[in-house]
Amino acid sequence: MMRLLHTADWHLGRTFHGESLLDAHAAVIDHLVALARDAKVDAVVVAGDVYDRALPPVDAIRLASQALERLSEICPVIVISGNHDSIDRLGFGARMFDRAGLHVRTRVADVGCAIPVADGVVYPVPYLEPDVVRAELGVQDRSHGAVLEAAMDRVRADLHHRSPQTPSAVVAHAFVTGAAVSDSERDLTVGGSASVAASVFDGVDYLALGHLHGPQSVGDLGRYAGSPVALSFSEARHAKSTAIVEVLGLGSTVELVPCPVPRALATLRGTLDELLRAPELEIHEDAWVQATITDAVQPPETMARLRSRFPHAVSLQFDPQGARPLEEGSYAERLEGLSDRELVERFVQDVRGTVASEAESDLLDRAFAERRAAEVRA
């Protein structure tokens, strides 16, 4: 048996609508370290996208270094590169790190090479971009399915020489057909068809997946760990978790442990006054807030006023209800024959959805009167 902690898609260095997630990620790292120790796992597997981009910021690199050091003091750690990671940067010093129990795999040459864990073996399969790796794998087809099938042929060839009772797991970063996506994932379509069938990975007892950010099972043996921190409002209903997996010779069992939620997500809708006054919204005052304002006319200083109650409001959208319907005909046709004064007043009406107030009309009258007087003096 192997007892694994399966995590993925840390995306260290990511921001949430411009706001730092460093503290949230640090809390998740503390959670993973405590869980690995308390659950007495045989290994931690990180299924790709350690970083959010190939050139991560310095504070993200520091946090990753601390996380991997702390985890590898408890048990072996197996890390693969995802589509957001740099193969060379993440894979730097990999053979040296092996001696410390940190196994970082980013290259095709490592595919099919088992890492012994307890009574079983783990096969790391990093993200494989078809156009980059297909020659090395001897594949003509530019699809993800073709290169992953070739990678799994190497895994199955190694397993063939082992006892049929040997517990086995693959760690991979891919988009498996039928899994649910989120708004925060980067498409994998460069280089051919992006999705692969779950059957591509047949032959092992557990498939530890990364790439999709919603925790979910896929196929008969696979599971996406999901991102431990929400990265978009489309993930508001995700129950973020860490998987503790017991891999047996004939399958696996999974226990899900909830991840800490440093800041919840809330998607609110209503007029600005409704959002500012509704007592039932008090529970969202410390959340990341995405608000859709339904006032017929956009209120002044909307975001500033919204943040007076929801200081972590980060996304603002407008869906005016009850606004004046658009007239028929082209805009040019509707403006034909109007004076300059009428054009300005019509502009105000079209932008706001309501006509100018009496005070605003008086202001426009004075402005045009002053312009005419200036033209006469000139």
Side-chain angles (χ1 to χ4, degrees):
M1 184 188 80
M2 293 187 294
R3 189 168 169 83
L4 306 177
L5 186 158
H6 172 200
T7 180
D9 294 281
W10 293 356
H11 287 274
L12 301 182
R14 182 78 166 244
T15 59
F16 189 81
H17 292 266
E19 301 290 332
S20 174
L21 289 175
L22 190 65
D23 289 344
H25 278 128
V28 165
I29 297 304
D30 289 342
H31 158 76
L32 294 175
V33 170
L35 184 57
R37 181 184 298 112
D38 295 344
K40 296 180 172 56
V41 298
D42 297 313
V44 173
V45 296
V46 186
D49 283 351
V50 174
Y51 297 114
D52 189 58
R53 54 185 184 270
L55 286 171
V58 171
D59 53 6
I61 296 173
R62 289 186 184 132
L63 184 56
S65 177
Q66 294 166 6
L68 296 176
E69 180 181 355
R70 293 169 67 189
L71 289 169
S72 60
E73 289 173 351
I74 299 170
C75 63
V77 179
I78 300 168
V79 182
I80 64 169
S81 52
N83 58 303
H84 284 248
D85 297 312
S86 164
I87 292 174
D88 293 323
R89 292 181 178 86
L90 185 63
F92 169 79
R95 291 296 171 259
M96 176 177 62
F97 296 149
D98 279 341
R99 296 194 291 271
L102 174 59
H103 308 284
V104 182
R105 298 294 182 261
T106 66
R107 300 187 180 281
V108 178
D110 297 319
V111 173
C113 299
I115 298 175
V117 174
D119 297 328
V121 288
V122 175
Y123 294 94
V125 179
Y127 171 69
L128 301 175
E129 176 58 48
D131 281 347
V132 175
V133 304
R134 62 195 180 100
E136 192 172 352
L137 287 170
V139 173
Q140 297 298 317
D141 192 345
R142 298 179 64 230
S143 72
H144 287 259
V147 297
L148 283 169
E149 187 69 57
M152 284 302 299
D153 284 344
R154 294 187 181 188
V155 170
R156 286 185 281 263
D158 184 83
L159 269 176
H160 180 72
H161 299 292
R162 302 178 184 273
S163 166
Q165 285 73 45
T166 301
S168 61
V170 162
V171 187
H173 197 87
F175 176 22
V176 176
T177 303
V181 300
S182 306
D183 292 343
S184 54
E185 296 132 4
R186 182 179 297 168
D187 196 0
L188 298 181
T189 52
V190 176
S193 177
S195 63
V196 299
S199 59
V200 166
F201 298 98
D202 284 351
V204 295
D205 299 304
Y206 182 68
L207 173 61
L209 286 165
H211 178 56
L212 300 184
H213 296 166
Q216 59 193 294
S217 297
V218 60
D220 296 329
L221 54 89
R223 180 165 191 86
Y224 281 101
S227 62
V229 172
L231 303 174
S232 71
F233 281 102
S234 68
E235 302 169 48
R237 296 190 178 183
H238 287 182
K240 300 295 187 181
S241 61
T242 303
I244 301 296
V245 187
E246 291 190 354
V247 185
L248 312 171
L250 295 172
S252 61
T253 62
V254 178
E255 175 191 0
L256 299 181
V257 180
C259 287
V261 182
R263 195 176 304 285
L265 303 182
T267 302
L268 309 180
R269 178 184 175 86
T271 66
L272 182 58
D273 280 346
E274 288 170 348
L275 299 187
L276 294 179
R277 297 175 184 275
E280 66 271 18
L281 299 183
E282 182 179 355
I283 60 172
H284 302 307
E285 289 180 356
D286 195 45
W288 297 119
V289 168
Q290 180 183 66
T292 300
I293 304 299
T294 60
D295 295 77
V297 178
Q298 180 177 333
E301 301 181 339
T302 307
M303 181 60 93
R305 293 168 64 188
L306 189 67
R307 284 180 172 170
S308 68
R309 182 178 190 184
F310 307 101
H312 303 288
V314 293
S315 176
L316 186 60
Q317 301 173 357
F318 292 96
D319 182 18
Q321 302 297 303
R324 180 182 56 85
L326 293 177
E327 300 175 16
E328 296 182 359
S330 71
Y331 195 63
E333 290 172 343
R334 298 200 301 272
L335 300 182
E336 187 176 357
L338 298 182
S339 66
D340 290 348
R341 167 66 177 76
E342 291 169 332
L343 279 172
V344 173
E345 192 161 25
R346 185 58 174 269
F347 174 79
V348 172
Q349 178 179 333
D350 288 342
V351 169
R352 294 196 319 195
T354 59
V355 298
S357 67
E358 184 176 346
E360 289 169 337
S361 293
D362 289 343
L363 180 61
L364 288 174
D365 287 338
R366 290 197 302 272
F368 275 90
E370 291 175 5
R371 191 196 73 170
R372 287 192 297 270
E375 289 174 348
V376 170
R377 288 194 297 271

